Amino acid sequence: MSRNGRTPLPAKVFLHMGGWRQPLVMVDSIVDYKYGDNGFIKVIKHVTFNEPYLQGHFPDDPIMPGVIIAEIFGQASEYLSFLTDICDIWEQKTGAALRNLRDIESQARGEEMLEIIKARRLKVRGVLAAQNLKFKDIAWPGDTIEVMSKLAFSDSQGFKHYAVSAHVGKRIISQGTVINFREDK
């Protein structure tokens, strides 16, 4: 069980959902997700001293680079889109609705869910752009960054615009918009 009393997604399921591998996995866990028009995702990134990018940013006073925070925003937003895809596919296949992280976690250990996740990951790819990101404070080793991503809107060309924010405790360290274009391969 996790600290919030919920069973997290199994590691193999989590890794199949994302297209990233070390050293570029920037999301340590998904802590909340809601499907639908007011959908969102919350993810966690623990900043540790042994992160490879901290060795040079800055050796005597390491801080989380802004470009890495932007990457966390992008990965969180892709997880939001991906989980939404999975919920839609699951409902089409089974007739059962998955509307939040608890619903997904309840099915995550089953082979059918893992097959849906693997098949979808092989089919989708995307590109990302950051827009109006503002960096307001610093994250240091030892901090835990909580990132929230919400779909603001989808435009007529198929781009999804996400409102994103990053907090360390009650301190907001960054916010802005990321834009993602996803397509089937």
Side-chain angles (χ1 to χ4, degrees):
M1 287 240 185
S2 67
R3 285 185 294 153
N4 60 10
R6 297 197 348 227
T7 304
L9 289 171
K12 75 175 186 176
V13 172
F14 181 75
L15 287 173
H16 283 299
M17 286 177 18
W20 312 277
R21 294 296 176 263
Q22 290 298 350
L24 289 177
V25 175
M26 293 295 144
V27 171
D28 292 330
S29 64
I30 299 169
V31 295
D32 205 359
Y33 165 79
K34 180 182 171 201
Y35 177 91
D37 291 338
N38 294 315
F40 66 87
I41 195 165
K42 276 187 192 174
V43 304
I44 296 292
K45 170 65 177 163
H46 300 287
V47 184
T48 65
F49 279 101
N50 60 349
E51 305 281 354
Y53 47 81
L54 288 179
Q55 294 173 12
H57 198 265
F58 299 93
D60 295 332
D61 188 21
I63 62 172
M64 175 71 96
V67 69
I68 301 296
I69 295 169
E71 179 65 21
I72 300 167
F73 286 153
Q75 290 185 20
S77 298
E78 173 55 23
Y79 280 119
L80 173 56
S81 289
F82 192 81
L83 285 174
T84 300
D85 291 350
I86 296 306
C87 290
D88 291 340
I89 294 166
W90 183 264
E91 189 165 8
Q92 289 171 352
K93 280 188 115 176
T94 68
L98 302 176
R99 296 295 180 239
N100 55 47
L101 190 58
R102 185 173 303 242
D103 292 347
I104 295 166
E105 289 167 344
S106 73
Q107 301 299 323
R109 286 172 173 70
E111 276 305 310
E112 188 174 11
M113 176 61 82
L114 189 56
E115 289 308 313
I116 290 170
I117 289 169
K118 286 178 181 179
R120 185 65 185 150
R121 177 49 51 209
L122 289 173
K123 288 183 180 176
V124 71
R125 66 177 171 198
V127 295
L128 188 73
Q131 185 178 35
N132 299 325
L133 290 185
K134 307 287 186 217
F135 297 94
K136 300 172 177 269
D137 210 336
I138 294 171
W140 289 277
D143 285 343
T144 296
I145 300 173
E146 182 180 271
V147 168
M148 169 83 82
S149 178
K150 298 178 185 180
L151 180 63
F153 67 94
S154 295
D155 65 27
S156 59
Q157 287 81 36
F159 289 86
K160 294 181 181 219
H161 300 247
Y162 301 90
V164 293
S165 62
H167 291 81
V168 172
K170 293 184 179 186
R171 293 184 297 121
I172 187 160
I173 61 169
S174 184
Q175 65 185 16
T177 303
V178 294
I179 304 164
N180 190 4
F181 180 79
R182 299 170 81 232
E183 64 182 2
D184 284 349
K185 293 181 189 176

